Amino acid sequence: MLFCVPGKKEGEGLIPVRLVLAVQDELYIEPFMQYLHCSEFDRRIIVTGFSRQDAFEMYMKDSGELVDIVLAEPTFLEAWQGLNSGRLTVVSLCERGESASGLSLDKYQPLHQLLFSLMNMVRGDRRKQADTEVGTVVIGVHSIVGGLGKSTVSWNIAKQLASEGAKVFYLNLETVNNRLIFEGQNVREGQQGGLARLLYDLKSAEEGQQELKFPISAYACRHPLLQGDIFAPLDNLNEMLELQRKETVDLIEFIAASGLYDAVVIDTDSYPNERTEAVLERADKLVWLVTDDDNVMRKTTLWFNHLEQSRPAMHSHILCKSLFAVNRYTGEVVTSLPGSEIVFEAMLSYISAWKNGIRQATAMHSPLYQRDVQQLCRKLYGNAKVLRGGSGQR
């Protein structure tokens, strides 16, 4: 029997993962589909389900080139002749104690964890292709403790990528925006208004099941110093406070799927809220900031320990795409994350002029800090090319 849950239509901003589920028990497939449809994965995964071997094999023969991942019981995979296709991610859905070669997942686990693990596997396979294919990369900058310099770091990452010719969007999702970056700059809202208007239009388009009439460039504005795009700051804090998980994901996807940008760099709140959690889940890469301070290290460790115990799939999902950086580095790190094997991969130098309260402006023109940020960007992208040639041209 065939089951199908259609995801978001192509052209509406999100290119979902195409999944084929093959399980003999229809009573497993139906709840799987229902959960997916009601969860945050609804817009990220298109599922086609099969309970019969012959129907599964016929579909894969006719439409296999459209499939990204196959999640199937071992009996389906053992009889399937196309198992050795190197393009597909193939995952065995096993019962406890059942062994399988290659990638496998426990069949009877919370569906939220199963789907997170599945998306991690897809992300991992796609990361292997990074040397030859890089689309819009969403980079989140975060810290557990406030005041560690997230805005300075995220702004400088965006500026560094732009200086190398990348098309960049800087997205500030802090409840209270850092207005320092707008001082002395002629920055105006887009032709259709700024972020508040975009959020309204996104919601209206979804309710009317229509595509948005205007591109992201109609809402954003150009920042002369950044040489990238940005939203003018919101004057009404309620507009940011009302931005929940779903609205945040929709916003990020709309920007990333526009085809205008090589990178979207996102600045978040330190304290937990749905906006921040949406960024942690959606970002392709995360920069976690710490400083050489016992209290900062302790709080960061406690947060990760709590996440590992309460949401192990989410913990794994975050760690696999995270880079840990020490900000305000003075030449030596004397503290560490207690009981953790996490390695600090980037050091961002302390600039003495920061103590005068002009961090943003000073860091913009500090050769030492720019050097450190450039090295951080190299680690973020590894051997992959930051730019996509002319694909992001405006």
Side-chain angles (χ1 to χ4, degrees):
M1 184 173 181
L2 167 68
F3 300 79
C4 186
V5 172
K8 192 177 181 186
K9 295 179 182 178
E10 292 191 23
E12 290 184 17
L14 172 62
I15 301 177
V17 170
R18 297 178 182 271
L19 167 69
V20 167
L21 175 67
V23 179
Q24 290 182 348
D25 186 0
E26 296 179 7
L27 295 179
Y28 183 91
I29 299 176
E30 290 180 355
F32 187 102
M33 299 290 195
Q34 292 172 1
Y35 174 81
L36 181 70
H37 184 64
C38 299
S39 73
E40 68 265 34
F41 296 98
D42 180 41
R43 298 159 64 90
R44 299 165 63 186
I45 303 175
I46 293 176
V47 181
T48 305
F50 297 92
S51 59
R52 287 176 25 211
Q53 181 78 37
D54 58 343
F56 163 68
E57 293 192 12
M58 183 176 296
Y59 180 85
M60 293 303 300
K61 180 179 179 181
D62 295 339
S63 305
E65 70 277 2
L66 301 176
V67 177
D68 296 307
I69 185 165
V70 172
L71 178 64
E73 292 175 331
T75 52
F76 280 84
L77 299 178
E78 289 167 2
W80 178 35
Q81 298 300 315
L83 179 60
N84 295 323
S85 173
R87 185 186 62 81
L88 284 171
T89 300
V90 180
V91 182
S92 297
L93 197 58
C94 300
E95 297 187 26
R96 183 166 297 179
E98 189 175 15
S99 61
S101 59
L103 299 174
S104 65
L105 288 172
D106 182 4
K107 181 178 179 181
Y108 297 108
Q109 61 173 300
L111 287 176
H112 188 78
Q113 294 183 15
L114 189 151
L115 289 168
F116 259 126
S117 299
L118 199 63
M119 292 300 289
N120 272 342
M121 291 176 176
V122 175
R123 192 181 298 274
D125 273 9
R126 288 178 174 176
R127 186 173 291 178
K128 295 176 184 178
Q129 303 172 7
D131 287 348
T132 58
E133 181 179 353
V134 178
T136 300
V137 179
V138 178
I139 302 170
V141 180
H142 188 61
S143 64
I144 300 302
V145 181
L148 301 190
K150 288 194 304 347
S151 295
T152 298
V153 173
S154 57
W155 178 262
N156 277 273
I157 290 174
K159 186 173 182 294
Q160 176 61 39
L161 296 177
S163 72
E164 297 179 16
K167 306 301 180 182
V168 179
F169 196 102
Y170 171 76
L171 178 60
N172 192 310
L173 291 179
E174 293 178 299
T175 301
V176 181
N177 285 181
N178 186 347
R179 286 184 172 271
L180 198 58
I181 61 177
F182 295 97
E183 290 184 0
Q185 304 297 321
N186 184 19
V187 176
R188 301 177 181 177
E189 289 187 345
Q191 295 175 351
Q192 298 302 318
L195 177 57
R197 179 66 189 189
L198 173 57
L199 296 175
Y200 174 82
D201 287 352
L202 284 171
K203 185 175 182 180
S204 298
E206 182 178 21
E207 291 175 350
Q209 297 184 339
Q210 299 174 343
E211 293 187 20
L212 205 59
K213 296 180 180 179
F214 303 103
I216 180 63
S217 55
Y219 303 91
C221 51
R222 192 75 171 172
H223 194 288
L225 184 59
L226 173 64
Q227 288 300 298
D229 287 352
I230 192 171
F231 290 123
L234 292 173
D235 293 322
N236 186 349
L237 294 187
N238 286 329
E239 293 170 337
M240 187 62 76
L241 290 170
E242 292 171 359
L243 191 61
Q244 300 301 307
R245 180 196 302 269
K246 182 180 181 303
E247 291 82 6
T248 303
V249 172
D250 289 347
L251 173 62
I252 296 171
E253 296 295 356
F254 180 66
I255 299 171
S258 68
L260 294 176
Y261 305 105
D262 298 295
V264 179
V265 183
I266 308 178
D267 189 4
T268 64
D269 282 329
S270 293
Y271 55 86
N273 55 40
E274 292 200 14
R275 264 176 289 125
T276 297
E277 189 161 335
V279 173
L280 297 182
E281 292 179 4
R282 171 57 185 87
D284 301 302
K285 300 176 184 293
L286 289 169
V287 176
W288 285 84
L289 293 183
V290 297
T291 55
D292 190 13
D293 177 270
D294 286 332
N295 194 44
V296 171
M297 298 291 191
R298 181 184 65 84
K299 288 185 176 181
T300 303
T301 300
L302 287 174
W303 189 90
F304 273 100
N305 288 344
H306 171 74
L307 186 65
E308 183 176 21
Q309 295 170 9
S310 60
R311 302 173 65 183
M314 180 66 170
H315 178 266
S316 175
H317 175 68
I318 286 178
L319 280 184
C320 77
K321 58 184 180 181
S322 293
L323 180 151
F324 288 80
V326 178
N327 200 23
R328 304 171 191 168
Y329 176 65
T330 58
E332 182 182 9
V333 178
V334 298
T335 56
S336 63
L337 296 171
S340 172
E341 298 179 356
I342 291 173
V343 176
F344 302 131
E345 298 183 62
M347 305 293 175
L348 303 172
S349 297
Y350 174 71
I351 307 301
S352 58
W354 285 1
K355 62 185 178 182
N356 298 323
I358 51 174
R359 294 180 185 172
Q360 201 82 41
T362 303
M364 284 296 179
H365 304 290
S366 166
L368 178 60
Y369 201 75
Q370 290 299 306
R371 180 208 65 185
D372 294 344
V373 171
Q374 183 181 52
Q375 292 176 357
L376 184 152
C377 290
R378 294 291 175 269
K379 291 181 180 294
L380 276 176
Y381 279 85
N383 294 324
K385 295 180 180 179
V386 176
L387 305 181
R388 296 173 290 168
S391 63
Q393 298 297 322
R394 300 183 60 178

